[in-house]
Amino acid sequence: MLIYKTPRKRVNAVSILILLLLTLLSVTSWAADTMLSQTHESNKLDMVIGKSILITTSERIKRVSIAAPEIADFVLLSAKEIYITGKAAGTTNMTVWQDKKIRSIYDLEVAYDVAGFKQKLHDLHPGETAIRSIGTGGSITLMGEVSSTANLSQVLALAAAYAPKDKIVNQLQVGGIHQVMLEVRVAEMSRSVTKRMGVNFSFVNGNDFGVSLLGGLSSFDNTGGGGLAQSFSDAITALLRFSTGNTTWTFFIDALKENGMAKILAEPTLIAQSGQTASFLAGGEFPYPVPQGGDNDNITIEFKPFGVMLLFTPTVLSEDRISISVAPEISELDFSTAQRFGGFLVPGLTKRTASTTVELADGQSFAIAGLLKEIVREEISKFPLLGDIPILGALFRSSGFLKEETELIIIVTVHLVKPLDMAKQTLPTDYYIEPNDVEFYILGLMEGMERKDPEDLTGELDGEFGHGIRISK
């Protein structure tokens, strides 16, 4: 057996090196333990405004600090219990010092009560299953799809009870159909009654003469040579002349009774997006002079509309409810209030307007009635005293009677519509074949005999719209 002995000096050096290494490891372990005992890994706590949570520690609490007390606050219930309450939306942190120099940091995120909003939304609108709500520290975000505009406003109003309006991020889309077709029927009946009775007379006896010009049935114009030329109005319906001796009498008579009736029927069809305005005008336009730069010599012409004008603004509330704001306007030219401007005679307008909002279902109709107009005008022109003489007074007066009645009714039917796919639509003209010369001239056929009959039905219905034509073979 061989035994090797390390020299004494060598053993002492190794021992000292080992001792130094052990000392260094001990110091490092102590520093690490001290750091771990002083700093604890941060924890995240999600909180709701107005609600509280309770934290229980294993060591006694020496001190608590919250960076933003306006976001969250705390109450020490005991030496080991902290009661934390969320006050406002936001994030902050809470530091807790305990015995043995333990320090814990909590990240507090206070948000709105999204869970309560979801529960209430489910209770009030159980059919809105496509709505998603996400809560962040400073807002509530709504995503997904809502079935109607009416439900959208209700959902937003409900969310406003849990967060301020400026903290609600609305990313909801309204589902369903948003195009509305308006079938409008405008029916107007006008009746008029006119009665006129007027008499003018003249007599001539040599160089002596006399005339009656009441009512404008006749007139005299200066010929320029000292003579007078007599002219007659188109309103004269009878002329009577006779002579007594050297005197010739002439009577110009305007006697008229006239009845008139007019029927106006318009059936336009309008399509408008939900919330957009559609308009309809049955009438015309009249020129309206507009001076440029305050100079009456520089005038441009604009055209102003008149007639029956309708403004519709539909709003789709749900898949079967539509709200419509309608504003009808009936205007007519009124030359009794006309003004002359820059050499132009500008008529006035008489208007009848209304504005209302109705709510109805798909396919229902509403009527705008009561747009009645009745005008009675009487005019009597007569000579003083002479026109009041019984019977003979009719020769010295001109009478006119006018009565107009106008009755207007507007019926509107609304439909929810969607665009058609023309690639899948069949038109009635698709199966028309032009006849050849033999078929057209000899056989007298309007269509060719070589038919392209469909197997069953040409065209199809898309909901309540479309067409179907069955052609017999």
Side-chain angles (χ1 to χ4, degrees):
M1 180 188 305
L2 294 176
I3 299 176
Y4 175 77
K5 293 183 179 181
T6 305
R8 190 176 187 85
K9 293 183 180 181
R10 180 78 173 180
V11 174
N12 291 338
V14 174
S15 300
I16 294 173
L17 181 58
I18 294 174
L19 180 61
L20 290 175
L21 290 175
L22 292 175
T23 303
L24 181 59
L25 291 174
S26 178
V27 172
T28 303
S29 177
W30 174 84
D33 292 340
T34 303
M35 185 177 297
L36 290 175
S37 65
Q38 291 181 353
T39 304
H40 192 274
E41 184 180 357
S42 61
N43 300 310
K44 183 179 180 182
L45 297 178
D46 294 327
M47 303 183 62
V48 177
I49 295 178
K51 295 186 178 181
S52 304
I53 60 175
L54 181 64
I55 297 178
T56 303
T57 63
S58 59
E59 301 291 338
R60 293 176 59 86
I61 300 172
K62 293 293 185 179
R63 185 160 61 98
V64 179
S65 175
I66 292 182
E70 69 276 4
I71 295 178
D73 201 357
F74 72 94
V75 175
L76 283 175
L77 300 180
S78 65
K80 297 183 179 180
E81 293 179 328
I82 307 175
Y83 188 76
I84 309 173
T85 303
K87 299 173 61 177
T91 58
T92 184
N93 54 47
M94 180 181 69
T95 306
V96 179
W97 287 268
Q98 300 173 275
D99 288 343
K100 297 182 180 180
K101 298 181 180 181
I102 299 176
R103 184 175 64 183
S104 301
I105 299 178
Y106 297 87
D107 292 332
L108 306 181
E109 182 174 353
V110 184
Y112 297 104
D113 189 7
V114 179
F117 167 72
K118 291 180 179 180
Q119 180 62 41
K120 189 61 65 176
L121 178 63
H122 176 73
D123 295 340
L124 298 179
H125 301 280
E128 299 292 349
T129 58
I131 297 178
R132 294 182 298 157
S133 57
I134 300 175
T136 59
S139 63
I140 294 181
T141 302
L142 303 178
M143 298 182 297
E145 184 177 290
V146 63
S147 61
S148 64
T149 305
N151 285 356
L152 174 61
S153 60
Q154 295 178 10
V155 169
L156 294 178
L158 179 61
Y162 291 86
K165 290 185 178 181
D166 58 343
K167 299 297 183 181
I168 299 175
V169 181
N170 180 20
Q171 297 183 356
L172 291 172
Q173 295 182 352
V174 181
I177 302 174
H178 301 283
Q179 293 187 128
V180 180
M181 182 178 69
L182 307 172
E183 295 180 351
V184 185
R185 300 185 66 188
V186 180
E188 181 178 3
M189 289 294 297
S190 298
R191 300 177 180 88
S192 62
V193 177
T194 302
K195 298 178 183 179
R196 295 200 312 266
M197 183 64 185
V199 177
N200 283 180
F201 63 89
S202 67
F203 71 92
V204 178
N205 185 1
N207 294 327
D208 299 328
F209 68 92
V211 294
S212 169
L213 304 179
L214 191 67
L217 299 181
S218 62
S219 62
F220 283 89
D221 299 328
N222 190 352
T223 60
L228 296 176
Q230 189 175 14
S231 60
F232 309 101
S233 172
D234 294 335
I236 294 177
T237 57
L239 180 65
L240 177 63
R241 174 173 292 179
F242 61 92
S243 298
T244 57
N246 295 327
T247 303
T248 301
W249 292 84
T250 304
F251 290 88
F252 308 98
I253 302 173
D254 175 20
L256 177 67
K257 182 177 181 180
E258 184 179 39
N259 295 328
M261 185 177 68
K263 171 188 173 184
I264 299 176
L265 179 62
E267 297 185 359
T269 299
L270 309 176
I271 296 180
Q273 288 280 350
S274 176
Q276 301 297 319
T277 300
S279 62
F280 163 73
L281 173 64
E285 294 182 338
F286 67 96
Y288 185 84
V290 178
Q292 300 295 318
D295 186 4
N296 292 339
D297 296 334
N298 187 11
I299 296 177
T300 60
I301 300 299
E302 293 184 0
F303 288 88
K304 301 290 185 179
F306 71 95
V308 180
M309 180 181 296
L310 301 176
L311 297 177
F312 299 96
T313 305
T315 301
V316 179
L317 301 179
S318 63
E319 58 184 7
D320 59 349
R321 301 299 296 177
I322 305 171
S323 175
I324 295 184
S325 297
V326 56
E329 177 181 312
I330 298 92
S331 58
E332 297 176 352
L333 298 180
D334 184 8
F335 286 92
S336 64
T337 60
Q339 300 292 328
R340 189 167 295 277
F341 178 79
F344 297 91
L345 183 63
V346 182
L349 287 177
T350 58
K351 289 185 178 182
R352 289 174 289 165
T353 61
S355 180
T356 184
T357 302
V358 296
E359 181 178 329
L360 63 168
D362 181 18
Q364 290 184 336
S365 303
F366 69 94
I368 304 173
L371 301 175
L372 304 178
K373 180 182 178 181
E374 183 176 351
I375 298 177
V376 177
R377 183 182 295 115
E378 296 179 350
E379 297 178 354
I380 297 179
S381 301
K382 60 184 178 179
F383 287 103
L385 300 178
L386 297 178
D388 297 328
I389 299 176
I391 302 176
L392 294 178
L395 300 177
F396 301 95
R397 64 174 177 258
S398 176
S399 304
F401 176 83
L402 174 64
K403 182 178 180 180
E404 295 180 351
E405 293 181 351
T406 301
E407 182 179 0
L408 176 65
I409 184 171
I410 303 170
I411 301 176
V412 182
T413 305
V414 298
H415 297 282
L416 292 173
V417 297
K418 59 182 179 179
L420 299 177
D421 186 2
M422 287 304 299
K424 299 180 179 179
Q425 302 304 315
T426 305
L427 302 179
T429 57
D430 290 347
Y431 296 95
Y432 170 77
I433 301 298
E434 294 184 2
N436 55 34
D437 294 342
V438 175
E439 294 170 339
F440 183 75
Y441 293 106
I442 299 179
L443 300 180
L445 298 179
M446 302 297 294
E447 296 184 31
M449 300 180 62
E450 183 181 354
R451 305 291 298 275
K452 294 182 179 180
D453 293 345
E455 296 181 359
D456 186 12
L457 189 66
T458 301
E460 60 181 8
L461 296 178
D462 189 352
E464 298 181 356
F465 304 94
H467 68 276
I469 301 176
R470 188 182 300 277
I471 303 177
S472 59
K473 299 182 179 180

